[in-house]
Amino acid sequence: MNKVLKTLEEVRIEDWIWIIYLFLASFALISNFFEKDYLITGNKTSKKAFKTINIANFIIVFFIYLYFVLLTYSRFKERENHTSIKSMIVTNANFIAATLFLIGGIIYLFTEIASDNETDVDIL
């Protein structure tokens, strides 16, 4: 596929990812509402609601981060041998950053599932 067409397709996908992030932010606000209700009233239904929303958000974010890891990995593999040192450093740094975000997302998902305390993590 033409490099320009491939980049345009990647940008279209990223547009959809930003739209998904808008929905995730909305659900995070709803989650915070339920968490506040739980902290004030001790309502177990509210606790279940905010934990469920947070877990769903983290699962969606995991797949977004996975997409970026796969995208940067494909760019890493497509890199030509005659690329500049700067280009190689940027490509490698992007791949490492995407991988670290994915690892962080996995850790946050695990802690949200495993934790039984009243606090949650609000990093997306």
Side-chain angles (χ1 to χ4, degrees):
M1 180 185 291
N2 183 335
K3 188 173 182 176
V4 173
L5 292 175
K6 184 177 178 183
T7 303
L8 281 172
E9 181 62 25
E10 291 170 0
V11 170
R12 279 189 216 111
I13 292 170
E14 289 176 21
D15 288 344
W16 282 106
I17 289 172
W18 283 113
I19 292 169
I20 291 168
Y21 268 121
L22 290 173
F23 283 103
L24 291 174
S26 300
F27 286 119
L29 290 170
I30 294 168
S31 170
N32 285 348
F33 169 80
F34 285 117
E35 184 177 9
K36 285 185 248 178
D37 181 61
Y38 170 71
L39 291 171
I40 293 168
T41 65
N43 183 347
K44 298 288 185 188
T45 305
S46 292
K47 179 180 181 180
K48 183 174 172 68
F50 84 77
K51 288 199 60 79
T52 302
I53 293 169
N54 288 343
I55 290 169
N57 275 356
F58 282 124
I59 289 170
I60 294 167
V61 167
F62 166 79
F63 285 107
I64 291 171
Y65 292 162
L66 181 63
Y67 165 76
F68 283 116
V69 167
L70 295 174
L71 179 64
T72 57
Y73 181 73
S74 71
R75 288 178 183 163
F76 177 80
K77 294 302 271 186
E78 291 173 359
R79 183 179 68 205
E80 297 177 16
N81 290 334
H82 60 275
T83 58
S84 68
I85 297 293
K86 179 182 177 183
S87 176
M88 289 173 55
I89 290 171
V90 168
T91 302
N92 291 342
N94 281 335
F95 178 68
I96 291 168
T99 303
L100 291 174
F101 269 99
L102 180 64
I103 292 168
I106 291 167
I107 293 169
Y108 277 126
L109 178 60
F110 171 75
T111 58
E112 185 65 32
I113 291 169
S115 73
D116 198 28
N117 61 12
E118 287 77 30
T119 60
D120 69 328
V121 181
D122 289 332
I123 298 176
L124 295 175

